[in-house]
Amino acid sequence: MKNCLSLLAAAALLLGLCSCGGNRFRLEVETAPETGCDNCTVYLFARMGNQLTLVDSARLVRHAAQLSGPLPDPESLVELLIPGQGSYILLAARGERVSLRIDTAARSFFPACRGSFATERMTEISRRYREIGYGALEQLRSEAAAPGLDARRRQELEARLAAREAELDSLARSAIFNDRSALLAVVATMWYADTSPNMTEDSLRALVRQLRARFPGSPCLNSLDEQATPEPPTRESMRMENLRARLSGLPEPYPEGAEPGEETAPGSAPEPEPGTEACSLPPYAVGERVEAFSLPDGEGVRRNPLEAAEEYVLLDFWASWCAPCRRELPVLLNAASRFDGALSVCAVSVDEDAAAWRSAMEQEGLSPLLNLRLDRSDASFAELVARFDIRTIPHNLLLDGERRVVAVDLRGDALREWLEKELKR
């Protein structure tokens, strides 16, 4: 549970729920005119462990639509998917009537909405986390630990750091220990485990025991059981996963004719549909040369990171809403500085919201890096996602002078030690 790769990846595996009837969930969607979303179909999915269900779909008319349907459990993780625009995660409960306005200028992983108790709480937590900034916390820790620092200045920095960490801990724990929503408690626990430097494996286990006592028998808590083996997806669920992938511009995860419980080989892809042959290419393997590609930088100028003069290029995929990604950024900055002249670091954001991306770049001080963005509107999106095997973030590939892959997911000390060893030769 500690060191989750990304909140998005955690959400994809979150719930181990069983199907049953109940009150309908209602979602009223409104899109701002500048999003360009009108007269298109939007989809509402619910995820239940390894099972994916389509709750409803509707067409946006005059930038508005209403979706409704039964949820598989009293509380469910639901996703509003707008093809070409992205998706929005809601922590939904039966009987709720939620209103959501899609505004590309104010995008976050948990969208601002009205009517969803759990989502509103997580939105507030994530908003405050972004305002404080993971990079700012790392900077405070670094400054407070600097040798030769005046004792009074060190005490001041440590006090400021402790106050900000205490606020974030308080926000997460207030969501964990509410008695209204087991789903909120589970998501807040995963968030807390992923972001708090004070969370140990023992304290996490103790926290899970408390949740089981407060919510006995709740299927939501199955996601916190690392020993649990989720049921394989049904044929219908695999069909829905393929539908969701097509709507998102991604390769379909299940080949035609796949059976429930049948494993697919790592990096395997289904047969391509006509006109999408590039999406069927396998991920780059270690030793394979990466083909030239380009993506837009903050000014909209397309750049090819492989053209860097440095001997090594590190391609790091991240997003502004991904807590582990934000914690990794200071490591990238340190590596770029430490191995200046030998290593070029390219930070490739998968943010769908350009404003959130630019804000995160400024907060984290990423100007020394080559900053590019890969979103679904880019013609090469599906191909690059497949070739670089972007299944979870943070994710990186290290390329040598011939731009061949020499390592995948080298992080922290492992990246530094690898480069130090190779550059001594």
Side-chain angles (χ1 to χ4, degrees):
M1 191 61 60
K2 186 71 172 172
N3 300 323
C4 298
L5 289 177
S6 75
L7 192 56
L8 181 59
L13 299 173
L14 182 60
L15 302 178
L17 307 177
C18 57
S19 295
C20 52
N23 297 333
R24 298 173 72 84
F25 172 76
R26 293 171 173 80
L27 177 63
E28 299 174 353
V29 182
E30 180 185 359
T31 60
E34 58 268 22
T35 63
C37 296
D38 201 20
N39 201 35
C40 66
T41 302
V42 296
Y43 301 82
L44 186 66
F45 291 97
R47 187 171 293 281
M48 305 151 284
N50 268 352
Q51 314 304 327
L52 186 69
T53 300
L54 179 62
V55 177
D56 195 13
S57 63
R59 182 172 293 276
L60 286 167
V61 178
R62 296 179 182 175
H63 302 285
Q66 293 188 10
L67 303 99
S68 68
L71 296 182
D73 204 72
E75 293 185 283
S76 298
L77 186 77
V78 302
E79 175 189 18
L80 174 69
L81 178 61
I82 305 179
Q85 293 290 329
S87 61
Y88 300 80
I89 303 298
L90 298 171
L91 311 181
R94 289 176 183 166
E96 285 186 334
R97 184 164 186 160
V98 179
S99 59
L100 171 64
R101 178 177 170 81
I102 305 300
D103 184 353
T104 56
R107 176 68 193 272
S108 65
F109 184 78
F110 294 104
C113 65
R114 295 193 307 274
S116 172
F117 168 76
T119 307
E120 289 180 48
R121 291 291 300 276
M122 283 308 302
T123 299
E124 174 60 22
I125 292 174
S126 61
R127 181 191 65 79
R128 189 59 183 136
Y129 266 65
R130 291 195 307 274
E131 288 177 351
I132 290 179
Y134 302 104
L137 292 179
E138 291 296 333
Q139 182 64 30
L140 280 175
R141 292 189 187 98
S142 177
E143 292 180 16
L149 187 65
D150 176 78
R152 183 173 180 179
R153 176 59 176 167
R154 188 186 307 278
Q155 186 177 20
E156 176 187 334
L157 291 172
E158 289 175 345
R160 191 187 310 169
L161 176 63
R164 293 184 178 181
E165 288 182 337
E167 179 184 352
L168 297 183
D169 282 1
S170 177
L171 281 170
R173 292 178 71 84
S174 67
I176 293 170
F177 291 105
N178 84 90
D179 289 320
R180 177 171 173 177
S181 170
L183 180 56
L184 172 62
V186 167
V187 175
T189 296
M190 298 174 78
W191 183 289
Y192 190 44
D194 212 32
T195 58
S196 173
N198 303 319
M199 176 66 81
T200 65
E201 294 296 336
D202 287 342
S203 60
L204 178 58
R205 282 191 287 268
L207 184 55
V208 172
R209 287 195 297 270
Q210 294 180 56
L211 292 179
R212 291 196 180 281
R214 287 173 45 231
F215 300 104
S218 172
C220 296
L221 300 182
N222 292 344
S223 59
L224 298 177
D225 185 356
E226 297 180 342
Q227 305 303 317
T229 302
E231 294 183 358
T234 64
R235 289 189 183 90
E236 179 62 17
S237 178
M238 290 191 289
R239 192 170 73 86
M240 289 300 102
E241 292 282 10
N242 283 347
L243 170 62
R244 183 190 177 281
R246 290 196 303 272
L247 295 171
S248 303
L250 298 171
E252 295 182 11
Y254 295 103
E256 183 178 353
E259 293 295 324
E262 184 176 274
E263 294 291 336
T264 54
S268 64
E271 289 298 317
E273 295 181 0
T276 60
E277 284 77 5
C279 300
S280 68
L281 294 172
Y284 287 115
V286 172
E288 187 175 356
R289 179 177 292 159
V290 173
E291 297 177 1
F293 69 98
S294 65
L295 289 170
D297 63 14
E299 303 300 321
V301 178
R302 297 190 73 88
R303 307 277 296 278
N304 179 2
L306 306 188
E307 294 178 346
E310 289 81 356
E311 180 178 358
Y312 292 97
V313 171
L314 182 70
L315 301 175
D316 189 271
F317 299 91
W318 70 290
S320 64
W321 44 259
C322 168
C325 299
R326 299 288 288 262
R327 291 204 305 272
E328 186 72 17
L329 294 177
V331 176
L332 300 182
L333 288 166
N334 181 268
S337 175
R338 185 185 186 95
F339 300 103
D340 183 34
L343 175 69
S344 172
V345 178
C346 175
V348 182
S349 167
V350 295
D351 277 287
E352 295 170 7
D353 179 11
W357 169 51
R358 293 190 181 93
S359 176
M361 283 196 296
E362 182 177 354
Q363 291 174 12
E364 305 292 356
L366 299 188
S367 57
L369 310 182
L370 174 58
N371 293 282
L372 306 178
R373 187 166 73 101
L374 171 64
D375 70 6
R376 288 181 173 84
S377 65
D378 197 285
S380 61
F381 177 81
E383 177 182 352
L384 295 181
V385 167
R387 298 299 333 249
F388 291 121
D389 201 20
I390 309 172
R391 292 178 292 177
T392 59
I393 53 174
H395 173 61
N396 68 40
L397 295 91
L398 183 62
L399 314 180
D400 65 12
E402 294 182 353
R403 300 311 181 237
R404 297 182 184 274
V405 179
V406 294
V408 177
D409 284 331
L410 279 179
R411 306 208 166 279
D413 290 340
L415 174 63
R416 174 182 56 79
E417 291 169 1
W418 196 98
L419 287 168
E420 287 178 344
K421 179 180 177 181
E422 291 301 313
L423 292 175
K424 285 180 180 178
R425 294 183 177 182

